[in-house]
Amino acid sequence: MITIKSKREIELMREASKITALTYEMIEKNIKVGMSTYELDSMAYDFIKSQGGIPAQKGYPSGQRGVPDFPGTLCISINDEVIHGIPSKEVIIKDGDVVSVDLVVLKNGYNGDAARTYIVGNASKEAKELVEVTKQAFFEAMKYAKAGNRIGDISNAVDSYVRKFGFSVVKEFQGHGIGKEMHEDPGVPNYGKPGKGPRLEKGMTIAVEPMVIAGNPDIWELEDGWTIVTRDGSLSAHYENTILITDNEPEILTLL
């Protein structure tokens, strides 16, 4: 069921989303070659708590038998890792790494969800283009994130833009509604037909998140039950924001 948020609920989501945005500001200032992904994760945990937020992904249930709940504050996925990478003391960020970070903050019962991809140090031309195209695909989609349009308009905009550059979108995972729950209706795929899917209404809050692969779109899951990687080892990038549908232009809640 798609929920339309009240003015009070929207204010609460703005609070959670602001902490998410501030956390990314902190991450951008501190991410560097030589640090472990565990170190970055710990910094984010401390910062979110200092802002009165709760790291919503920490302890998130896997839903799979024998797979533990997610242990980190951040999903940190490097190079061919698409999403859901687990922070580790053994994983050290190297020069030229493409580092995707996904984060959800909970405050006062409401969530703010966003993802960013960072190039750390000196990267290839392809890596730089991939990261920029992934980010811009989100903003191309925002042109259609208006009351009266449909989810398929957003989805098609992401895919159409990405394909212009010879890249591929991930089809097995998608954006989503968000509010009291991290994942709510409707689903927001990164591909689809314009004019199809649920109609956008004022007061809807959704997370739009292009996940883009430089090569073949096939993916698979590692034995840890969380980490998703590209099957051909090609680079991947991720960009996401929580947005509010209004009477006019969408409001991007997780940008400062």
Side-chain angles (χ1 to χ4, degrees):
M1 182 179 70
I2 298 173
T3 61
I4 302 300
K5 307 303 189 297
S6 67
K7 289 183 179 180
R8 176 58 178 160
E9 288 177 309
I10 291 167
E11 285 304 315
L12 293 173
M13 289 194 68
R14 285 195 180 105
E15 291 182 27
S17 295
K18 183 178 180 180
I19 298 174
T20 301
L22 288 170
T23 304
Y24 277 117
E25 188 176 68
M26 183 276 296
I27 289 171
E28 187 167 4
K29 291 177 181 177
N30 287 279
I31 191 170
K32 61 183 179 181
V33 173
M35 75 187 312
S36 71
T37 55
Y38 177 85
E39 181 182 355
L40 188 63
D41 189 77
S42 297
M43 292 172 65
Y45 177 85
D46 291 341
F47 182 83
I48 291 167
K49 297 294 284 186
S50 75
Q51 299 295 310
I54 297 171
Q57 292 177 145
K58 195 172 183 67
Y60 192 81
S62 72
Q64 302 179 65
R65 185 182 299 275
V67 176
D69 297 343
F70 193 79
T73 292
L74 308 173
C75 295
I76 307 178
S77 308
I78 299 178
N79 296 330
D80 65 330
E81 296 173 348
V82 183
I83 50 174
H84 303 164
I86 299 173
S88 169
K89 293 179 180 178
E90 283 70 51
V91 178
I92 306 300
I93 297 172
K94 301 184 292 295
D95 183 55
D97 275 348
V98 177
V99 183
S100 296
V101 179
D102 195 357
L103 165 65
V104 186
V105 171
L106 176 69
K107 185 177 182 183
N108 295 324
Y110 286 84
N111 292 280
D113 187 2
R116 303 285 184 266
T117 298
Y118 303 99
I119 292 177
V120 184
N122 301 296
S124 67
K125 180 180 178 181
E126 179 188 51
K128 293 176 181 177
E129 183 180 40
L130 175 67
V131 172
E132 183 56 36
V133 167
T134 303
K135 180 178 179 179
Q136 187 58 36
F138 168 86
F139 288 100
E140 293 298 317
M142 287 305 93
K143 297 175 183 178
Y144 300 89
K146 299 178 181 180
N149 286 348
R150 293 186 179 272
I151 290 293
D153 299 322
I154 291 174
S155 302
N156 182 262
V158 171
D159 187 40
S160 296
Y161 185 77
V162 166
R163 284 191 287 108
K164 288 180 182 178
F165 298 86
F167 299 143
S168 307
V169 297
V170 174
K171 294 186 175 181
E172 292 86 347
F173 294 88
Q174 62 182 356
H176 49 88
I178 184 169
K180 287 184 177 180
E181 302 296 329
M182 187 188 302
H183 298 111
E184 298 182 353
D185 291 333
V188 187
N190 289 312
Y191 70 102
K193 295 182 178 180
K196 300 293 185 180
R199 190 176 298 279
L200 301 173
E201 298 181 44
K202 178 183 177 181
M204 286 175 62
T205 47
I206 57 177
V208 178
E209 50 178 316
M211 292 165 267
V212 182
I213 295 174
N216 190 291
D218 292 344
I219 59 173
W220 61 293
E221 184 180 80
L222 297 185
E223 291 182 359
D224 62 25
W226 282 103
T227 310
I228 303 298
V229 301
T230 60
R231 190 170 288 278
D232 64 2
S234 59
L235 295 174
S236 180
H238 187 192
Y239 188 85
E240 174 187 19
N241 282 301
T242 296
I243 70 167
L244 167 68
I245 303 299
T246 73
D247 282 329
N248 299 299
E249 298 299 317
E251 180 182 349
I252 303 175
L253 301 179
T254 45
L255 283 179
L256 296 174

